[in-house]
């Protein structure tokens, strides 16, 4: 076997191990969400977007956008409190970590993120929604708020999903 063939095989095996480790970590984080959380893949022009849905079916939509290199599952610590008041849609961002698939149109610029979020909101049936993001997700939410003022139901918030900020959004003081 030629050295470059061995290198290619090693790279494929390394990728397989990393993917398996990622899937295990993803599933472990998913297990920290309430049992009734649903998983949906919402069609967009950029590929299907994974959305973790929790809360009352008639609750006003709250779209949670994670920071870069994170998944919608990072909001696990806030899901129960927020789910009492809102229908949560925690999103795995397009072109980032998670189980959202990149298929279809290429994501070229920030305007494409607005088109993606338009399609996502249409796909979840939200005529209007609250948006909450952390870091990169907050930037996406803020840009979208300027793009779609009529469909953004509340001011854009930037919060750290791990610090209890979600409790304040749900109207409770963190413990």
């Amino acid at each position: 076997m030629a050295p470059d063939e061995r290198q290619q095989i090693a790279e494929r095996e390394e990728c397989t191990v990393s993917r398996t480790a990622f899937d295990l970590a993803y599933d472990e984080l998913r297990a920290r969400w309430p049992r009734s959380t649903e998983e949906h893949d919402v069609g967009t022009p950029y590929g299907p977007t994974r959305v973790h849905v929790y809360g009352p079916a008639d609750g006003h939509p709250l779209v949670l956008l994670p920071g870069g290199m994170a998944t919608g599952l990072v909001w696990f610590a806030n899901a129960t409190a927020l789910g009492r008041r809102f229908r949560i849609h925690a999103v795995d961002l397009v072109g980032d970590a998670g189980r959202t698939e990149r298929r279809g149109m290429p994501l070229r610029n920030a305007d494409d993120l607005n088109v993606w979020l338009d399609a996502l909101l249409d796909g979840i049936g939200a005529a209007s929604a609250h948006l909450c993001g952390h870091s990169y997700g907050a930037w996406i939410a803020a840009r979208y708020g300027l793009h779609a003022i009529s469909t953004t139901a509340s001011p854009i918030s930037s919060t750290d999903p791990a610090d209890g900020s979600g409790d304040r959004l749900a109207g409770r003081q963190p413990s």
Side-chain angles (χ1 to χ4, degrees):
M1 185 179 309
D4 58 335
E5 286 180 284
R6 279 195 294 271
Q7 178 65 29
Q8 289 174 347
I9 290 170
E11 287 173 4
R12 280 194 304 266
E13 288 174 354
E14 183 177 315
C15 183
T16 301
V17 170
S18 296
R19 179 69 180 150
T20 302
F22 174 82
D23 285 336
L24 289 172
Y26 190 96
D27 292 341
E28 286 175 13
L29 197 53
R30 170 59 183 88
R32 297 179 78 173
W33 276 70
R35 284 190 178 266
S36 61
T37 301
E38 302 168 7
E39 311 299 322
H40 297 276
D41 290 321
V42 178
T44 76
Y46 304 93
T49 297
R50 176 61 56 95
V51 182
H52 313 280
V53 181
Y54 176 72
D58 62 348
H60 196 80
L62 170 61
V63 177
L64 300 175
L65 302 169
M69 299 306 296
T71 73
L73 293 172
V74 300
W75 297 95
F76 72 90
N78 309 115
T80 300
L82 291 172
R84 289 187 192 106
R85 184 171 174 191
F86 301 103
R87 180 73 164 171
I88 298 170
H89 300 271
V91 178
D92 288 355
L93 300 175
V94 65
D96 215 324
R99 292 192 173 148
T100 290
E101 296 179 37
R102 275 293 283 284
R103 292 191 307 218
M105 294 176 19
L107 189 65
R108 299 170 309 220
N109 55 44
D111 290 335
D112 287 346
L113 289 170
N114 289 337
V115 173
W116 167 72
L117 204 42
D118 278 337
L120 181 69
L121 292 174
D122 285 345
I124 65 172
S128 72
H130 298 283
L131 300 176
C132 180
H134 173 252
S135 188
Y136 178 53
W139 177 79
I140 293 171
R143 278 193 50 85
Y144 189 78
L146 294 172
H147 161 78
I149 291 173
S150 64
T151 59
T152 305
S154 65
I156 306 307
S157 298
S158 176
T159 184
D160 183 347
D163 76 353
S165 301
D167 287 336
R168 288 189 289 280
L169 288 172
R172 296 179 353 159
Q173 291 299 316
S175 47

